[in-house]
Amino acid sequence: MSTESASGGGDMAVTVTPAAADEAVSLLEGESMDTDVAGLRLFVQQGGCAGLSYGMRFDNEPEDDDTVVEQHGLRVFVDPASMNYIGGSTLDFEGGLQGAGFHVNNPNAESSCGCGESFRT
């Protein structure tokens, strides 16, 4: 398992904005999960109108081969296959009446669908 932190230097696997971290940590705590060990799993799966889609879920701990990014008090787990698609991406959270939720800004995506949930590389 590789671990990167905001102060670790070098290229970050995934960047987490403070807004995304605050929201995810709040949700983790609401599920009574230990934020020192548990985290948000960010992954890529087949599906969506553009071919690939993002997925997120809470996990109690990372897998042995995960990259673990720790920023703003949030741990993010990314498996090696997903890292090939989302390395260099930024995870953000936007509030508001329309489009509220987590969003992935992925520089590797050649195109994405209108909803922003799926992409093609």
Side-chain angles (χ1 to χ4, degrees), residues 109-120:
E110 292 179 3
S111 64
S112 61
C113 68
C115 70
E117 297 294 322
S118 67
F119 67 100
R120 181 173 58 84

Side-chain angles (χ1 to χ4, degrees), residues 10-58:
D11 291 335
M12 298 301 294
V14 175
T15 301
V16 180
T17 67
D22 289 348
E23 184 68 19
V25 167
S26 176
L27 291 169
L28 279 162
E29 291 172 344
E31 295 288 325
S32 300
M33 298 179 85
D34 181 356
T35 57
D36 290 332
V37 180
L40 176 71
R41 176 165 300 282
L42 178 59
F43 59 95
V44 173
Q45 59 192 359
Q46 294 289 328
C49 53
L52 298 169
S53 63
Y54 304 108
M56 290 178 230
R57 70 172 186 262
F58 295 132

